[in-house]
C-alpha cells in the first residue's frame, strides 16, 4: 500500500478523538492520588496504597518491566474497574502478581515441575507463567479461561505493596488499551488520571518492556510474548521451549493462544513507520522519506539509534540508544513513542538497524506491532 494511503486509514481508525469518545462515556471521573515513595520501602504511602487495594480500589505501581494497574485479583468488582479504566476488551486476561512462590500456589493447580524450576530460577523477575487456575480465581480476571497468568515482580515497591495488601494483585500495563505501556508515573497519569484511584510513583522502570509470557500447560512450554528473558535462557533451565508468538496483530475473528495477540498494541496517535535493515541503507531510506514527508508538510519525529542521531541533528527525535545494545532500545522504546507523540509528530519514523538478538527480539516484536508500515531495505 502507498505510504499516504496507510496514513489516512490509520488516522481514521485510531484517532484520539474516537478513543476519548468511547472511554468518557463509560468511566466516572475520580481524583487520582499520587504517592511518592522517595525510595523508602514500607512507608506510609505504600501502606495507604495497599489499603486502597484491599478495599477494592485501583492503584498503578512500578514494576521492573513497566507500570501496572493493580486491583485485588480475587475481587470481581475491583478487577472490573481495571477493565473500565483501561477500556480493555473483557476477553483479554490479566496477569496476577504475587509476592512469593507460596502465594502463587494458592491460585494454580497441577503445577508442572518445569514451572517450579522456572520460578526458582527467574522469580522475582520479568517472567509470567500460565498455569491451570484454581476456582478461587474469578472468570473476570482470566477472561473466562481455565488458566491464569502469574508473576512475581522484581521491584521492591511492587513487592512491598503486594505484601502490605495481603492480596494477589491483578495488573495489566497501566495504559489506555492499545497505547504504549507506561515506563514512568507521568505516562500513567497522562492516560489514566481521573480514571483510577491512585498511582505510586517509583521513578522510571529499569527494563521498559513487558515480561516474557510462557504457557506451561502444554507438553512443551510455549512463549506467547517475548521479553527480557529469552528462549535460550529458558531452555538452559528446562530444556525445549517453543515460540508461539509472531509480530503481527491478528484479526479479532482468529483463534489465538493468547487473547492479547488480537488487539492493537503499543500505538501512539502518530503514524509509525519502521525501517528495518543494515545501518547505512536505513539511514539513506530515512533521508529520502524526510524529504518526501517535509514536502507534504508533515511534522516528522524520528526514533533513532545513537549512531544515526548524529546524521539527523535538526529533526525532532528521541534516541533508542546504541545500536549494539538492544537493552537500551528496550528501555527507550515506549518512552520515545510517547515523547514524539507529545511533540505532535504526524509521523514517527523508526531506525530499525539495532541488534535483534536477546531482548532486541522483544523490541522488534513491539515495534512491528506498533508500526502502521514496515519497510525492509
Ligand atoms: O511486565 C508485565 O507483564 C506487565 C507488568 C505490569 O507486570 N504486565 C502486562 O500485562 O504487560 P498486560 O495485561 O498488558 O499483558 C498480559 C498479556 C496479554 O497479552 C494477555 O493476553 C496475556 O498476557 N495473558 C494473560 N493471561 C493469559 C492466559 N491465561 N492465557 C494466555 N494469555 C494470557
Ligand atoms: Mg499491556
Amino acid at each position: 500500500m502507498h505510504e499516504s494511503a496507510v496514513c489516512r486509514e490509520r488516522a481514521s481508525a485510531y484517532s484520539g478523538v474516537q478513543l476519548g469518545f468511547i472511554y468518557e462515556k463509560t468511566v466516572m471521573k475520580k481524583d487520582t492520588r499520587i504517592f511518592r515513595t522517595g525510595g523508602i520501602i514500607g512507608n506510609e504511602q505504600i501502606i495507604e496504597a495497599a489499603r486502597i487495594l484491599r478495599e477494592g480500589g485501583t492503584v498503578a505501581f512500578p514494576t521492573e518491566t513497566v507500570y501496572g494497574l493493580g486491583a485485588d485479583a480475587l475481587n470481581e468488582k475491583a478487577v472490573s474497574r481495571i477493565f473500565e479504566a483501561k477500556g480493555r476488551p473483557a476477553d483479554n486476561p490479566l496477569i496476577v502478581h504475587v509476592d512469593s512462590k507460596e502465594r502463587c500456589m494458592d491460585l494454580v493447580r497441577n503445577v508442572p515441575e518445569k514451572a517450579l524450576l522456572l520460578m526458582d530460577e527467574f522469580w522475582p523477575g520479568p517472567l509470567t507463567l500460565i498455569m491451570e487456575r484454581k476456582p478461587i480465581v474469578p472468570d473476570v480476571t482470566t477472561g473466562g479461561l481455565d488458566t491464569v497468568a502469574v508473576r512475581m515482580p522484581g521491584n521492591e515497591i511492587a513487592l512491598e505493596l503486594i505484601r502490605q495488601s495481603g492480596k494477589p494483585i491483578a495488573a495489566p500495563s497501566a495504559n489506555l488499551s492499545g497505547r504504549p505501556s507506561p515506563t514512568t508515573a507521568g505516562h500513567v497519569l497522562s492516560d489514566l488520571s481521573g480514571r483510577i484511584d491512585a498511582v505510586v510513583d517509583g521513578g522510571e522502570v529499569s527494563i521498559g518492556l513487558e515480561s516474557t509470557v510462557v504457557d506451561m500447560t502444554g507438553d512443551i512450554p510455549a512463549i506467547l510474548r517475548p521479553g527480557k528473558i529469552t528462549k535460550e535462557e529458558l531452555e538452559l533451565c528446562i530444556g525445549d521451549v517453543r515460540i508461539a508468538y509472531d509480530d503481527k496483530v491478528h484479526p479479532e475473528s482468529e483463534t489465538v493462544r493468547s487473547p492479547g495477540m488480537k488487539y492493537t498494541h503499543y500505538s501512539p496517535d502518530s503514524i509509525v513507520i519502521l525501517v528495518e535493515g543494515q545501518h547505512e541503507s536505513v539511514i539513506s531510506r530515512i533521508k529520502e522519506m524526510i524529504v518526501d514527508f517535509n514536502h507534504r508538510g508533515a511534522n516528522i519525529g524520528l526514533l533513532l539509534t545513537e549512531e544515526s542521531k548524529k546524521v539527523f541533528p535538526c529533526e525532532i527525535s528521541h534516541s533508542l540508544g546504541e545500536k549494539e545494545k538492544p537493552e537500551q532500545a528496550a528501555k527507550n522504546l515506549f518512552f520515545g513513542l510517547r515523547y514524539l507523540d507529545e511533540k505532535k509528530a504526524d509521523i514517527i519514523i523508526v531506525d530499525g538497524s539495532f541488534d535483534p538478538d536477546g531482548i532486541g527480539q522483544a523490541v522488534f516484536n513491539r515495534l512491528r506491532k506498533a508500526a502502521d508500515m514496515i519497510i525492509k531495505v
Side-chain angles (χ1 to χ4, degrees):
M1 202 185 302
H2 190 270
E3 277 159 33
S4 60
V6 173
C7 302
R8 274 198 307 277
E9 191 176 275
R10 166 66 198 284
S12 64
Y14 304 119
S15 78
V17 176
Q18 189 188 24
L19 289 178
F21 175 70
I22 295 167
Y23 297 132
E24 288 321 317
K25 261 175 51 170
T26 52
V27 181
M28 297 279 283
K29 265 274 198 226
K30 46 175 108 187
D31 282 332
T32 298
R33 296 172 68 186
I34 303 170
F35 297 120
R36 294 210 159 79
T37 62
I40 305 160
I41 306 305
N43 67 13
E44 286 163 24
Q45 309 260 26
I46 293 189
I47 292 170
E48 178 61 8
R51 186 189 62 76
I52 297 174
L53 286 172
R54 250 191 334 272
E55 292 177 359
T58 47
V59 177
F61 60 93
T63 79
E64 78 281 39
T65 57
V66 299
Y67 273 72
L69 175 59
D72 176 353
L74 306 184
N75 175 339
E76 290 183 26
K77 260 216 172 108
V79 172
S80 66
R81 290 189 182 111
I82 292 179
F83 284 89
E84 277 164 30
K86 281 182 57 98
R88 183 175 174 108
D91 71 345
N92 195 2
L94 307 179
I95 296 173
V96 180
H97 295 64
V98 292
D99 63 1
S100 66
K101 191 173 160 186
E102 290 67 41
R103 292 282 73 77
C104 170
M105 296 310 154
D106 300 341
L107 310 171
V108 293
R109 60 183 177 187
N110 299 331
V111 179
E113 184 62 27
K114 287 177 182 173
L116 298 172
L117 290 172
L118 290 176
M119 289 176 204
D120 289 338
E121 180 70 22
F122 295 106
W123 281 8
L127 178 67
T128 296
L129 300 175
I130 292 174
M131 292 165 283
E132 284 180 38
R133 71 160 154 161
K134 281 187 178 158
I136 189 180
V137 185
D139 277 347
V140 60
T141 303
T142 68
L145 298 174
D146 51 16
T147 55
V148 61
V150 190
R151 112 173 168 93
M152 177 179 175
N155 173 293
E156 279 307 317
I157 295 174
L159 287 173
E160 187 60 21
L161 184 65
I162 300 165
R163 213 171 286 141
Q164 295 280 353
S165 75
K167 309 277 186 188
I169 299 298
S173 49
N175 48 277
L176 280 176
S177 214
R179 299 259 305 146
S181 296
T183 58
T184 67
H187 294 165
V188 174
L189 289 167
S190 85
D191 277 16
L192 299 176
S193 182
R195 314 172 76 86
I196 61 177
D197 293 307
V199 56
V200 180
D201 184 350
E204 197 176 338
V205 301
S206 61
I207 296 175
L209 285 189
E210 308 85 347
S211 60
T212 307
V213 177
V214 184
D215 183 353
M216 301 303 299
T217 61
D219 287 343
I220 299 176
I223 303 179
L224 303 186
R225 181 176 72 183
K228 180 166 191 290
I229 296 174
T230 60
K231 178 173 187 282
E232 292 70 28
E233 287 175 285
L234 295 167
E235 286 185 332
L236 275 179
C237 182
I238 55 166
D240 275 358
V241 171
R242 288 188 318 110
I243 287 184
Y245 66 86
D246 55 35
D247 297 341
K248 297 194 293 259
V249 176
H250 291 258
E252 277 208 36
S253 51
E254 218 173 281
T255 308
V256 286
R257 288 287 287 276
S258 181
M261 292 171 178
K262 289 187 303 194
Y263 297 109
T264 313
H265 265 79
Y266 321 116
S267 304
D269 289 336
S270 325
I271 290 147
V272 178
I273 302 177
L274 170 63
V275 188
E276 291 185 23
Q278 293 300 315
H279 188 59
E280 281 70 32
S281 322
V282 167
I283 285 183
S284 55
R285 187 72 175 92
I286 293 179
K287 277 184 185 160
E288 287 167 23
M289 291 167 76
I290 290 177
V291 173
D292 185 24
F293 283 122
N294 269 336
H295 192 67
R296 296 193 228 172
N299 191 20
I300 303 166
L302 302 177
L303 258 188
L304 299 171
T305 55
E306 241 353 87
E307 291 80 358
S308 60
K309 225 174 158 206
K310 298 174 191 127
V311 184
F312 303 105
C314 303
E315 309 294 332
I316 302 170
S317 70
H318 194 270
S319 175
L320 286 173
E322 295 166 46
K323 70 184 175 63
E324 303 303 333
K325 297 195 172 147
E327 67 279 7
Q328 295 184 355
K331 187 155 180 188
N332 291 315
L333 174 63
F334 291 143
F335 197 104
L337 288 173
R338 283 179 176 266
Y339 170 81
L340 295 173
D341 227 10
E342 274 164 29
K343 293 279 170 198
K344 304 274 177 255
D346 301 308
I347 292 167
I348 296 176
I349 304 174
V350 187
D351 167 359
S353 69
F354 57 85
D355 187 351
D357 291 336
I359 198 173
Q361 249 182 62
V363 180
F364 272 108
N365 169 264
R366 307 306 193 272
L367 261 174
R368 289 173 185 146
K369 282 176 181 263
D372 298 281
M373 174 179 258
I374 300 171
I375 297 172
K376 300 208 165 143
V377 289

